[in-house]
Amino acid sequence: MPHRLAAATWLLLSVALPVLLAAWLADPRLPAARQAPRPGFAGSATCAECHAAEAAAWRGSDHARAMQAATPATVLGDFSGADPRFTRDAEGRFTIRMEDRALPVAETLGVDPLQQYIVAMPDGRRQMLPWAWDSRPRAEGGQRWYHLLPDEPLRPGDPLHWSGRDQNWDFMCATCHTTGLVRDGDTRWVEMGVGCESCHGRGAAHVAWARGGAPRDVPGRGLEVSLRDSGGGWRFPEPDPRGIAAWQGPPRPGTEVEICAPCHARARPIARDPAPGGRFLDTHAPVLLDRGLYHADGQMQGEVFEWGSFVRSRMQRAGVTCSDCHDPHRGTLRAEGNAVCAQCHQPARFDTAAHHHHAPGTPGAQCASCHMPAVTYMGIDTRRDHGFRVPRPEVVAQVGAPDTCTSC
């Protein structure tokens, strides 16, 4: 009986806790969120005093601009009044009219390929609107207002309605678009956007170490999260019949993937506002290979982001981490085109027509075209599958999954 009671209690908690947490986060009576200092945080501006190169790279990144106060310098959309729903007054304040209500734009969310807008509601809530600005160049179809939701009007009370739970900033967006977020009945953050301490943890102790106010032998130099390897690197073994590099050195800790996962996975939080550095699966419940989210062969289908595909890949098992391919501060690829893959896959073997069966320089000759097929979400946001699969036309034909070879 005790074992059955313990099992029942665990089942109740595992099911009920996320539901209760979601209900708490969606409570429309929450007070207005605000920016406020928190103990232990130094702020990205302080980090930049000693890490100028990294800070300069970060300032132009999507992470730094993940959320910004709505100002003439940050708002990309056309608020000239050419469309009367989108206006700007003489003081530079922006307004969007929804269902005969003029709502003030408080912040922007993202920059590329869409910029969304957060409006301040009279009761203090922040809500996301279905209108977004397509920031792509005009030649690519951009520089226009773009409606994200279905054409049929949604009624108040529908979760997808712009005033509903699924469009509530606190519930859906806050965690991954601010740094140092706390939701304890008084939602507040240290800074907007994904700042240094979103990945490296609180920095005040590290600042004290750097300025000589703490012992020089402080473990980790005062940083809460260490993202350094313990030595080693990618090397082409000798002899090398495969032409693929292997990690040589101490095993990699995997901390980096754990840091990126909460915002690059489709997952339900099971802990409130966890700090960076913990294990992802201790604080989140990611979606599994559910029908409608993944195809039968594991290719992404729904909006599942990158982590779910990556952790099932041979790349992950070989020890590859996010920053092997992506500059962690700029957020861009470390090299263009096939050059990023050539870091570990010898071009003489793989970047040839004998391997990819396409004319050099064509889209079909790009590694990502075959091994990272793209899916478009939100109408124009193209994202690549991070499963790094080898195309298997005979397999996908049997399970009804997309065929990379014929969908190009």
Side-chain angles (χ1 to χ4, degrees):
M1 180 65 71
H3 295 292
R4 290 183 179 179
L5 180 61
T9 302
W10 169 246
L11 178 62
L12 176 63
L13 288 174
S14 64
V15 173
L17 182 60
V19 174
L20 292 173
L21 178 61
W24 183 87
L25 294 178
D27 187 347
R29 296 168 296 177
L30 288 174
R34 60 191 173 86
Q35 185 162 325
R38 283 182 58 196
F41 283 86
S44 296
T46 300
C47 302
E49 295 175 9
C50 294
H51 301 279
E54 291 82 359
W58 165 79
R59 287 191 190 100
S61 71
D62 286 356
H63 279 161
R65 299 178 293 169
M67 180 177 170
Q68 302 175 95
T71 69
T74 62
V75 171
L76 303 179
D78 180 3
F79 282 83
S80 66
D83 185 323
R85 288 171 294 191
F86 311 101
T87 57
R88 170 183 167 184
D89 65 18
E91 282 72 41
R93 293 173 297 200
F94 301 90
T95 302
I96 297 179
R97 182 168 290 277
M98 296 293 296
E99 300 174 3
D100 297 326
R101 279 203 273 181
L103 299 167
V105 177
E107 290 95 14
T108 66
L109 207 72
V111 288
D112 178 49
L114 291 167
Q115 184 175 75
Q116 294 180 259
Y117 299 99
I118 307 170
V119 295
M121 302 293 283
D123 60 5
R125 285 178 299 147
R126 281 173 163 81
Q127 293 292 124
M128 302 299 305
L129 295 188
W131 287 104
W133 180 253
D134 183 346
S135 59
R136 298 175 301 167
R138 195 176 302 277
E140 297 177 15
Q143 300 303 297
R144 58 174 179 141
W145 286 105
Y146 184 81
H147 200 276
L148 298 169
L149 297 180
D151 293 334
E152 60 270 16
L154 297 171
R155 297 179 179 179
D158 188 302
L160 284 176
H161 186 267
W162 64 268
S163 64
R165 184 196 69 176
D166 287 356
Q167 304 302 326
N168 178 260
W169 170 85
D170 198 298
F171 178 52
M172 294 296 293
C173 317
T175 301
C176 293
H177 288 264
T178 61
T179 299
L181 181 76
V182 171
R183 288 174 289 192
D184 56 5
D186 178 19
T187 300
R188 59 200 184 277
W189 62 84
V190 173
E191 62 182 287
M192 294 185 193
V194 182
C196 307
E197 289 160 302
S198 286
C199 302
H200 296 282
R202 295 177 299 176
H206 176 66
V207 172
W209 172 88
R211 292 175 175 171
R216 304 301 292 178
D217 59 350
V218 169
R221 297 176 294 179
L223 282 173
E224 286 192 329
V225 180
S226 174
L227 293 172
R228 293 178 178 271
D229 289 316
S230 300
W234 294 100
R235 305 285 186 270
F236 289 99
E238 295 291 345
D240 182 25
R242 298 175 61 217
I244 300 176
W247 180 261
Q248 296 181 8
R252 309 185 83 179
T255 307
E256 186 178 284
V257 176
E258 301 288 333
I259 290 290
C260 300
C263 293
H264 289 271
R266 182 162 176 170
R268 183 183 71 248
I270 55 176
R272 186 187 296 173
D273 307 320
R279 288 180 56 83
F280 172 58
L281 295 180
D282 288 343
T283 57
H284 293 76
V287 298
L288 304 178
L289 292 172
D290 295 333
R291 193 181 298 271
L293 294 179
Y294 291 93
H295 292 286
D297 69 335
Q299 290 186 64
M300 67 181 191
Q301 181 179 2
E303 193 172 5
V304 292
F305 307 100
E306 298 83 11
W307 179 85
S309 298
F310 177 70
V311 294
R312 296 193 304 275
S313 71
R314 295 176 66 181
M315 293 282 200
Q316 190 271 344
R317 291 194 295 275
V320 172
T321 64
C322 310
S323 67
D324 287 323
C325 301
H326 300 273
D327 184 296
H329 297 106
R330 288 186 176 84
T332 55
L333 288 173
R334 288 194 174 274
E336 293 297 321
N338 288 351
V340 70
C341 304
Q343 296 177 110
C344 293
H345 298 263
Q346 290 183 347
R349 180 177 178 86
F350 295 101
D351 198 3
T352 66
H355 175 74
H356 51 60
H357 308 293
H358 290 80
T362 63
Q366 294 295 305
C367 307
S369 296
C370 294
H371 299 289
M372 302 181 70
V375 180
T376 300
Y377 302 103
M378 302 173 74
I380 61 173
D381 190 1
T382 301
R383 304 175 197 169
R384 291 197 176 275
D385 191 306
H386 279 61
F388 305 102
R389 293 174 184 79
V390 175
R392 302 292 189 196
E394 71 284 2
V395 172
V396 297
Q398 295 182 44
V399 300
D403 180 4
T404 301
C405 299
T406 58
S407 60
C408 183

